[in-house]
Amino acid sequence: MIYRKDIDCLRGYSVIAVILYHFKIKYFEGGYIGVDIFFVVSGYLITSIIIQDIRSNSFSFLNFYERRIRRLLPALLVVLIFTSILNFSYLTGDENVNFFKSILSIILLYSNYWFYKSGSYFAPINEDHPLFHLWSLSVEEQFYLAFPIFLVFFYKKKLLKMFILFFLLSFFLANNGGIFKSTYPFYDGFQLIKTPGFGFYFTPTRIWELLVGSFAAIYLIQNEKKINL
């Protein structure tokens, strides 16, 4: 895949927006939207990589997951080790246990479920957890585990229709899970899932954002060379 500076710039803007939000900088009260942008970019990149590998008959599940590990693991380990050293000196016994449980959840890719138990992302208590932001990494990695299998299986077999179906299901869950307001143009007072945290933390309610990026990737690939999706 050809390197694109604009994609890296978009990533940078999204990270800066989140950072400025956490520093409570004026006019960046909605800076957490950077997380949503990051999911869209991830969906675009991963779909582009897999489809281009499939088209060139070079796709391998082993190579795909190995590349993901090489890309993410070194930086993640540095963050976890450095943060653990800094926190060990001032956390109490119970707090240390809790902290290292959160590290385990990050390594095993279920930190979004772990942090879900801590309550809202916007709760003051969560502002003090140095690894809280890694909940989104688990969402992405859970998606990466299943998505290549799905993409390979449905490639050239009503792929676009399946994408639309999963997009609508995820969008519906997200709306009723609390990620969107239940006012116009959505249904007032109609909520299938009563816990707002579900809509924020869980992978099924974030898939629609990743698929927005997938739609963009498919559109660009189809314009490059017509393929039957």
Side-chain angles (χ1 to χ4, degrees):
M1 182 178 175
I2 298 174
Y3 171 75
R4 293 185 54 175
K5 290 182 180 179
D6 55 340
I7 295 296
D8 263 358
C9 286
L10 195 56
R11 281 172 158 174
Y13 292 145
S14 63
V15 170
I16 291 170
V18 173
I19 291 173
L20 293 177
Y21 161 76
H22 280 289
F23 276 104
K24 298 180 172 33
I25 303 297
K26 191 177 181 181
Y27 304 120
F28 284 90
E29 292 85 354
Y32 52 84
I33 197 174
V35 177
D36 305 284
I37 295 172
F38 219 92
F39 284 142
V40 174
V41 170
S42 292
Y44 166 78
L45 290 173
I46 226 67
T47 303
S48 299
I49 291 169
I50 295 174
I51 288 183
Q52 288 178 10
D53 282 353
I54 292 174
R55 290 172 63 190
S56 62
N57 295 316
S58 61
F59 179 78
S60 161
F61 287 106
L62 184 62
N63 287 340
F64 173 81
Y65 293 122
E66 185 263 339
R67 280 185 292 178
R68 293 300 96 200
I69 292 170
R70 280 194 293 109
R71 181 177 179 82
L72 296 171
L73 189 59
L76 178 62
L77 287 177
V78 169
V79 171
L80 294 182
I81 293 171
F82 185 71
T83 308
S84 299
I85 293 171
L86 289 179
N87 277 269
F88 187 75
S89 59
Y90 71 85
L91 292 178
T92 65
D94 289 341
E95 287 173 335
N96 265 318
V97 170
N98 224 22
F99 178 77
F100 285 107
K101 281 184 178 179
S102 71
I103 288 181
L104 181 63
S105 74
I106 291 167
I107 294 172
L108 297 180
L109 307 180
Y110 69 94
S111 63
N112 55 326
Y113 295 92
W114 169 263
F115 288 122
Y116 167 68
K117 296 187 298 181
S118 301
S120 170
Y121 177 81
F122 308 98
I125 190 174
N126 292 325
E127 292 283 340
D128 296 329
H129 199 299
L131 300 175
F132 196 77
H133 62 287
L134 290 175
W135 70 269
S136 61
L137 179 64
S138 288
V139 171
E140 286 189 332
E141 293 309 302
Q142 289 162 18
F143 179 76
Y144 292 166
L145 285 174
F147 186 66
I149 300 171
F150 170 85
L151 196 55
V152 169
F153 183 81
F154 284 104
Y155 185 71
K156 294 188 177 181
K157 298 175 183 177
K158 301 180 179 178
L159 177 62
L160 197 55
K161 291 180 180 178
M162 294 301 297
F163 272 8
I164 293 172
L165 173 63
F166 280 104
F167 173 89
L168 293 174
L169 288 173
S170 176
F171 192 84
F172 174 77
L173 285 175
N175 174 47
N176 292 287
I179 197 172
F180 295 121
K181 294 180 180 177
S182 57
T183 53
Y184 182 85
F186 304 109
Y187 295 101
D188 271 329
F190 178 67
Q191 288 190 329
L192 176 67
I193 302 160
K194 299 300 181 183
T195 308
F198 181 95
F200 190 91
Y201 288 108
F202 285 8
T203 304
T205 57
R206 292 289 185 170
I207 285 176
W208 72 271
E209 295 179 320
L210 290 150
L211 288 181
V212 168
S214 297
F215 288 135
I218 288 174
Y219 174 80
L220 292 175
I221 290 171
Q222 282 184 322
N223 279 288
E224 177 190 341
K225 179 181 177 181
K226 291 292 183 181
I227 55 176
N228 181 25
L229 294 175

